[in-house]
Amino acid sequence: MANVKHFHRTAVRSILNHVTRTDNFSNQDIDCSRSKYNYSLTNHDSHEVYNKRLSEVHCLNRANVNTLSSWCVTLPKGVKKEDQRKFFEETVKFLKNRYGERNCVSAEVHFDETTPHLHYCFIPIIYDEKKKREKVDRKSIFTLKELKTFHNDLQSHINQSLGYEVNILTGELKNRKNLNFFF
C-alpha cells in the first residue's frame, strides 16, 4: 500500500519532475488523458523548496547522500469515492506530522497511472543533539522500527479521520489495473 524510496542529489531533479509532471516522462503507465485529475496538496515550487530547505541544514557533500525520500501511498480499494481527496489530505497530514512539516518538498496525487496514488517527497532531517543542529540523515529516520510501525500508524490515523476502517495493509493492489473504478 505504501512504499518508500530514497534519492541522491543527482536524482532529485528527475523524481521531482516526474511527480510534478513538469518534464517529459517515459513512464509507459501514464495515461495523459487522465492527467487532468492529478492535483497538488502543496502548491509550491518543489525544486525551490528542496533547495532552500537543504541550504538551511547540515548535509555531507558527497554524491551518495540520500537528500530526498519519497513515500508512494496507493489509494486503498475500500475508500469511498467522496472520501478520496480526504484520504490523501489526511495521509499528507500524517506524513508532515511524522517527518516535519518544514521538510515536505511536494505532495502530488496522480490519477493518470495504473492506480491512484500520492507521492510525498521530503528531506529526511533529524536534529543532531551532539552538534546542536539539523542534519540530513535518512538512516536515523528509516530504522527497522520505523518501517515496522509505519503502516499500522497510518492505518490508525486514516481510520480515525475517515470514521470507518480502510485496509492499508493489502497485497491485492499489486499489479491491479483499476483506473475505471475511481471515475
Side-chain angles (χ1 to χ4, degrees):
M1 152 64 219
N3 65 67
V4 67
K5 291 185 180 179
H6 310 286
F7 302 93
H8 299 144
R9 278 183 221 248
T10 55
V12 168
R13 177 171 283 291
S14 295
I15 189 62
L16 290 179
N17 284 345
H18 167 75
V19 300
T20 60
R21 300 292 197 255
T22 55
D23 204 356
N24 291 334
F25 35 84
S26 58
N27 185 337
Q28 302 279 335
D29 291 331
I30 295 173
D31 179 352
C32 294
S33 70
R34 293 190 180 271
S35 293
K36 62 186 173 193
Y37 300 113
N38 295 350
Y39 56 89
S40 176
L41 292 171
T42 48
N43 296 313
H44 58 238
D45 183 327
S46 57
H47 296 285
E48 187 178 301
V49 169
Y50 168 80
N51 290 326
K52 182 180 183 307
R53 184 66 176 126
L54 196 59
S55 73
E56 298 170 347
V57 300
H58 175 72
C59 183
L60 294 175
N61 193 19
R62 293 189 336 226
N64 67 342
V65 175
N66 290 302
T67 60
L68 189 77
S69 294
S70 178
W71 277 104
C72 183
V73 182
T74 303
L75 182 68
K77 188 176 181 180
V79 175
K80 298 172 187 171
K81 186 174 181 177
E82 62 270 15
D83 290 335
Q84 289 178 7
R85 185 174 184 102
K86 185 174 182 181
F87 169 81
F88 289 124
E89 289 170 344
E90 288 297 327
T91 300
V92 169
K93 183 192 273 184
F94 169 83
L95 292 165
K96 283 182 175 180
N97 185 54
R98 196 166 184 110
Y99 302 114
E101 187 166 352
R102 292 182 61 217
N103 303 328
C104 176
V105 173
S106 72
E108 308 294 324
V109 178
H110 291 168
F111 280 90
D112 60 357
E113 293 182 61
T114 55
T115 306
H117 59 278
L118 164 76
H119 286 281
Y120 180 84
C121 300
F122 68 101
I123 302 174
I125 296 173
I126 65 159
Y127 185 76
D128 184 346
E129 286 291 337
K130 187 176 177 182
K131 297 199 176 179
K132 305 293 184 206
R133 66 183 179 192
E134 292 179 306
K135 72 175 186 177
V136 176
D137 189 353
R138 175 198 52 93
K139 288 182 181 179
S140 292
I141 293 173
F142 288 97
T143 62
L144 186 56
K145 180 183 177 194
E146 169 65 7
L147 296 174
K148 282 183 173 181
T149 61
F150 178 85
H151 284 86
N152 288 332
D153 294 348
L154 176 59
Q155 178 148 345
S156 295
H157 177 82
I158 294 298
N159 289 349
Q160 183 177 6
S161 299
L162 295 181
Y164 57 91
E165 191 167 329
V166 174
N167 192 8
I168 300 290
L169 298 170
T170 178
E172 68 183 56
L173 289 174
K174 195 171 186 177
N175 297 323
R176 186 170 59 118
K177 306 276 187 190
N178 63 352
L179 280 173
N180 293 326
F181 176 79
F182 297 100
F183 295 102

